[in-house]
Each structure stands twice: as structure tokens, then as C-alpha cells.
Amino acid sequence: MRRQHLAILSDNKPGVLTHIAGLISRKAINIESLTAGYTEEPDVTRFNIVISIEDDKELKQTIKQLAKLIDVIKIVNLDEDLFVSCELAMIKIQYGTPRIREELANIAALFHAQIVDVNLGSLIMRIMGREDHVEALLHVLTPYQVLEIARTGPISLSRGMIPVKAM
């Protein structure tokens, strides 16, 4: 299995997400992450989807079928060229003593993460960066009591002057 990053532009209408996710799930393809949001055009939504795929034939067929959906404007496999990717994660960690809280603050500083909330006994870190950067922080935090994690999954843009809509 390999991961593929897809960028999908669609009309900003209700139900588009259901159609896209339904088509992918009917093909028994795992969606590892899916983000959707506004673009520079208010009537267009951009989906960033990371899927696990077996082979090129399955990938090409899935892209072709997604492109046929009525509200889909454009679909691009970002892995075919260079792209930049970023993820947001928030991590809630329990601490028992001020010394542990200080250790966690030092770890956050090493990873350029921010502590965005502190309560008696817990804090929340926010980190933005490449997936491997987020994974590295999570690995370093394994000795601590991680209470909760929320991750966006990667959002990605192709490098260079050409936007996805022109690819």
C-alpha cells in the first residue's frame, strides 16, 4: 500500500463531500485523511485527500471516476510532481508536577510547537508542520500521559507558479 495525495476542486454545494467519500469507500480504498475548505474563489471548495492505494491501475481508475462526478471541477494527483504539505495537530498532555510541565514546555520549544492552554494537571500543545515533524513530536511524547490528539491531516499545494485548477 502506498499513500497518494489528491487535490480535488469542486463546486461549493451540499452533498459533494458525500459523493466523493462514497465513491472512494465503495472501491474499498482507505481514506487516511480528508480536509475541505474554501479557495480563492468563493464558489469552489478544495478537498485534500490522502488515500492508501494498492496499484497504479486502481489509482487511475479512481481518479477517472472522481473526475466524472458532476460537481467535480478538477482532480490532481499531487504525488506526480513536487508539492508542499503541512499538518496541524493539537495534543493534550497530563502532567503531575511543575517539573514535568517544564519538561513539556522545553519539548514544545524544541519542536517549534506552542503551548496554547494550561490547566492544573494538563496542557495543550499545537504544532504545525510536515507529517514527519508531527510524528516525531508524538514519538518524543510517548513517555508522557497523552490524553487526547486532534490532527487535521495534511493539506498540500503544488510547488511553482501553476495552481491546481490549471494543471
Side-chain angles (χ1 to χ4, degrees):
M1 292 288 235
R2 71 175 196 269
R3 297 175 63 193
Q4 294 291 291
H5 297 77
L6 304 179
I8 301 174
L9 299 177
S10 75
D11 294 329
N12 189 6
K13 294 181 180 174
V16 176
L17 172 60
T18 304
H19 291 128
I20 291 171
L23 188 147
I24 293 171
S25 68
R26 281 192 304 278
K27 297 182 72 51
I29 296 171
N30 185 44
I31 297 174
E32 293 195 14
S33 74
L34 187 153
T35 59
Y38 299 108
T39 66
E40 66 282 0
E41 299 174 28
D43 57 339
V44 175
T45 297
R46 180 187 176 115
F47 295 91
N48 283 286
I49 302 176
V50 179
I51 57 173
S52 295
I53 200 90
E54 293 273 341
D55 57 40
D56 287 334
K57 181 181 176 186
E58 183 180 33
L59 176 63
K60 287 178 185 175
Q61 185 181 40
T62 302
I63 290 172
K64 190 180 285 187
Q65 289 177 341
L66 285 167
K68 288 181 183 177
L69 292 175
I70 194 155
D71 294 319
V72 170
I73 299 166
K74 185 81 173 183
I75 180 166
V76 173
N77 179 1
L78 293 173
D79 290 286
E80 291 178 349
D81 207 350
L82 297 175
F83 67 96
V84 177
S85 192
C86 184
E87 180 175 6
L88 166 67
M90 293 181 41
I91 308 155
K92 186 185 298 183
I93 308 154
Q94 179 178 332
Y95 67 87
T97 66
R99 186 183 66 77
I100 299 295
R101 185 182 67 223
E102 188 175 326
E103 283 178 25
L104 291 168
N106 289 336
I107 291 169
L110 282 172
F111 282 87
H112 303 287
Q114 291 82 40
I115 296 178
V116 294
D117 185 60
V118 177
N119 283 293
L120 250 145
S122 72
L123 60 82
I124 297 175
M125 281 186 202
R126 178 182 65 210
I127 183 168
M128 289 182 285
R130 293 187 333 256
E131 286 178 87
D132 60 336
H133 188 68
V134 174
E135 288 294 332
L137 173 60
L138 291 173
H139 179 72
V140 169
L141 292 174
T142 54
Y144 299 93
Q145 181 65 39
V146 174
L147 301 172
E148 192 173 6
I149 300 172
R151 295 175 72 168
T152 62
I155 58 169
S156 306
L157 289 175
S158 59
R159 295 194 64 194
M161 294 291 293
I162 302 171
V164 164
K165 64 184 173 189
M167 295 176 104

